[in-house]
Amino acid sequence: MKLIYEKSVKGRIGFSIPEDSFDEISVDIPEYAKPHKEYDLPEVSEPDVVRHFTKLSKLNYGVDDGLYPLGSCTMKYNPKINEKLANLDNFLYAHPFAPERYVQGSLQIMFELGELLNEITGMDKFSMMPAAGAHGELTGVLMIRKYFESKGKPRHKMIIPDSAHGTNPASSAMAGFRVVEVKSNERGGVDISELEKIMDEDTAGLMLTNPNTVGLFDENILKIADIVHSKGGLLYYDGANLNALLGIVRPGDAGFDVLHLNLHKTFSTPHGGGGPGAGVVGAKKELIEFLPSPIVCKNEKGYFFEFPKNSIGRVRAFYGNFSVLVKAYAWILSMGPQGLREAAETSIINANYVLAKLKDYYKPAYDRTCMHECVLTGKEYKKYGVKTLDISKRLMDYGFHPPTIYFPHFEPYAEETIMIEPPESESKETLDSFIKAMIKISKEARTKPELLKEAPHSTPVGRLDEVKAVKNPKLHY
Ligand SMILES: *Cc1c(COP(=O)(O)O)cnc(C)c1O
């Protein structure tokens, strides 16, 4: 496909209006604003533009095209109505410097969203400021650091399970903690006896995802909380994916002290493309004073900004990605408590359905019921020279986005892993056609391995040299 610049024809324009409609006026364009030869805009007609961008949009694959089973990512369909609501003029044009009294409605949404999230998670107060999950983690661990500093007893270590999302150790290290790894047991949960050994009074706490990043619920969570709390530590909950818990379990009840949620995964904001997101952070009572400031509060006169006394300060400009907050608020209210619970139950049933139907073809990494995502492996196809990478590439020929692969990557449980998350918005028919494709691919792996190794065959570009594609992207072909 040509670039739009290559479709440019000197003098071609995108509109036609009678020449005598307007009087000619002359304007002095300052030097810096004059078009530069190199940056000339393409000269194209309106249909040229429409067709160019329509063609480009068809080269891509998104959640509006079909199943996007990317584990640990919750690529679900988000109702378009929530986009419309976030785009209402009063939200869209609210100025971040507007005095509180002129934006009471916007503040009310932030406040009430916080209250709804408190109810969903069992926390006491939310900051809407962080712009992504990893940003929420950094915010949360900085709060933990300040909590110990304010007691005059700084702590220096943070425990992180080997199954954790890579952002957890990164956030801890950025906040100045030394990361200590705790191994998983054969059921995919935290190894309790090892945790008991490493938890000490220089350890600020433990960052945990539950269900963890392999889609398994750690049944020892109360025990884990006990071990950490008994040494004065705090529990951080990585709630990036809340899909399995909505209306079923509240992290606050399980002993977590501070958490973040990815509104852009679970709560109706499309993602995967770099934002905007919202990694909102919730704190239990003892930690509210450390939340980033300002936070939205309410008194008899209305809504106002408050600056928590021991706040870690600002973590970004203004108050967060407001449009994401509006979408989350609208989604929660439109689902209702029962609807949220059904969403969680459906996502868990979907993942277990896929697991049950595929386990004879792709050996599961763990032999147990999963939560909202399941981990299979492609290890038995290695003897045919087929890797998990080839299996996922071949899925594209059947019209599906590939799942997350080679994650989790810790041995001995994980080898050639395929992590599938079929969210609640997917119908049984969609799941069945995905399952059918996966089974067909498992047969092809035995009989026609070459077909897989050269896949995809049906996409605008075929198999890429992935290392080269990252280092030397060719955005034009
Ligand atoms: C996605 C994810 C994150 C990171 O969220 P970002 O918004 O991409 O920064 C952190 N933890 C888990 C478990 C995740 O799935």
Side-chain angles (χ1 to χ4, degrees):
M1 230 183 109
K2 280 186 176 171
L3 295 178
I4 192 147
Y5 286 90
E6 293 165 331
K7 293 179 184 168
S8 180
V9 176
K10 193 90 202 122
R12 183 164 292 169
I13 48 172
F15 60 89
S16 63
I17 44 172
E19 264 182 34
D20 56 5
S21 294
F22 302 99
D23 295 334
E24 203 163 297
I25 53 165
S26 80
V27 185
D28 282 333
I29 301 175
E31 204 48 46
Y32 67 83
K34 284 195 178 138
H36 190 284
K37 185 79 210 77
E38 270 174 62
Y39 304 117
D40 271 357
L41 290 173
E43 296 176 80
V44 282
S45 70
E46 180 171 330
D48 286 341
V49 175
V50 171
R51 287 174 184 161
H52 179 76
F53 287 104
T54 304
K55 274 198 193 110
L56 271 185
S57 77
K58 288 183 186 167
L59 295 179
N60 217 337
Y61 187 96
V63 86
D64 290 350
D65 290 292
L67 179 67
Y68 204 133
L70 202 64
S72 195
C73 231
T74 314
M75 302 300 276
K76 62 183 171 188
Y77 179 81
N78 300 291
K80 299 287 179 265
I81 180 90
N82 298 335
E83 297 290 334
K84 278 206 155 51
L85 294 174
N87 275 292
L88 291 175
D89 280 358
N90 286 351
F91 296 138
L92 205 57
Y93 297 115
H95 196 282
F97 282 142
E100 289 163 15
R101 65 182 185 283
Y102 295 142
V103 285
Q104 283 290 301
S106 300
L107 297 191
Q108 182 177 355
I109 285 184
M110 288 197 267
F111 181 82
E112 289 183 2
L113 174 62
E115 298 282 288
L116 292 166
L117 296 175
N118 283 341
E119 195 170 329
I120 291 169
T121 59
M123 305 310 280
D124 296 316
K125 188 74 194 171
F126 268 85
S127 160
M128 302 300 163
M129 211 179 265
H135 195 196
E137 290 171 31
L138 178 63
T139 303
V141 287
L142 285 172
M143 288 167 61
I144 292 179
R145 186 173 124 171
K146 192 133 195 213
Y147 166 86
F148 288 106
E149 282 170 2
S150 75
K151 285 169 169 267
K153 286 184 191 149
R155 294 193 177 195
H156 303 97
K157 292 190 278 185
M158 185 68 76
I159 302 178
I160 301 189
D162 57 3
S163 65
H165 196 271
T167 49
N168 292 187
S171 308
S172 291
M174 270 184 93
F177 287 109
R178 188 146 59 75
V179 174
V180 182
E181 186 178 272
V182 59
K183 294 252 174 299
S184 299
N185 60 25
E186 69 295 343
R187 284 180 63 72
V190 169
D191 187 319
I192 293 289
S193 58
E194 203 183 328
L195 177 64
E196 272 169 335
K197 264 186 253 154
I198 54 185
M199 181 65 210
D200 62 17
E201 277 163 16
D202 192 34
T203 302
L206 169 72
M207 290 183 88
L208 194 70
T209 313
N210 197 23
N212 62 16
T213 10
V214 293
L216 302 174
F217 190 80
D218 199 317
E219 311 97 324
N220 292 321
I221 178 59
L222 296 177
K223 190 132 198 234
I224 293 169
D226 263 356
I227 295 171
V228 174
H229 286 152
S230 70
K231 294 266 164 70
L234 295 174
L235 267 187
Y236 183 92
Y237 181 70
D238 177 342
N241 308 280
L242 212 68
N243 243 36
L245 296 194
L246 293 169
I248 302 176
V249 174
R250 306 194 324 159
D253 297 341
F256 288 96
D257 303 289
V258 52
L259 57 73
H260 82 269
L261 306 175
N262 279 17
L263 299 186
H264 51 289
K265 280 179 185 167
T266 311
F267 295 92
S268 195
T269 281
H271 66 109
V280 298
V281 169
K284 279 281 184 60
K285 272 199 187 63
E286 326 69 84
L287 288 165
I288 293 178
E289 62 183 282
F290 305 104
L291 279 169
S293 64
I295 46 177
V296 184
C297 293
K298 184 188 174 188
N299 62 18
E300 62 291 346
K301 290 207 207 108
Y303 301 92
F304 63 97
F305 286 120
E306 189 168 279
F307 301 85
K309 70 172 192 270
N310 272 323
S311 170
I312 59 163
R314 277 196 170 276
V315 295
R316 56 157 286 153
F318 308 124
Y319 322 108
N321 279 324
F322 183 67
S323 70
V324 179
L325 309 180
V326 178
K327 284 180 256 186
Y329 181 73
W331 188 69
I332 294 171
L333 291 186
S334 65
M335 294 292 280
Q338 195 53 37
L340 292 178
R341 191 183 169 108
E342 266 167 36
E345 287 173 351
T346 309
S347 74
I348 296 169
I349 290 170
N350 278 1
N352 280 286
Y353 181 70
V354 170
L355 175 65
K357 291 278 184 185
L358 289 181
K359 69 178 183 193
D360 292 340
Y361 304 90
Y362 300 91
K363 197 170 157 30
Y366 299 89
D367 186 17
R368 54 177 286 203
T369 311
C370 64
M371 296 297 284
H372 62 298
E373 54 198 357
C374 60
V375 185
L376 305 171
T377 67
K379 48 188 168 192
E380 64 245 54
Y381 301 106
K382 267 167 81 175
K383 58 176 174 282
Y384 305 103
V386 169
K387 294 182 296 200
T388 281
L389 178 74
D390 308 317
I391 294 168
S392 74
K393 293 282 186 202
R394 181 66 176 149
L395 260 174
M396 294 161 100
D397 287 334
Y398 290 100
F400 297 101
H401 192 281
T404 299
I405 53 172
Y406 299 109
F407 189 91
H409 40 58
F410 50 94
E411 300 294 340
Y413 315 110
E415 194 191 339
E416 298 289 319
T417 40
I418 308 171
M419 188 176 188
I420 299 168
E421 180 176 0
E424 77 279 4
S425 51
E426 300 303 335
S427 67
K428 178 167 181 295
E429 290 73 23
T430 302
L431 297 186
D432 282 337
S433 55
F434 172 74
I435 290 162
K436 207 167 135 196
M438 285 293 282
I439 294 175
K440 204 153 168 220
I441 293 170
S442 75
K443 291 190 181 127
E444 288 171 351
R446 285 171 225 274
T447 54
K448 296 177 236 166
E450 294 314 318
L451 200 57
L452 271 65
K453 280 194 265 186
E454 285 154 23
H457 305 274
S458 62
T459 46
V461 282
R463 182 72 68 105
L464 296 173
D465 175 335
E466 308 221 329
V467 178
K468 207 166 157 213
V470 171
K471 300 215 158 133
N472 183 19
K474 196 171 149 208
L475 302 173
H476 162 214
Y477 58 93

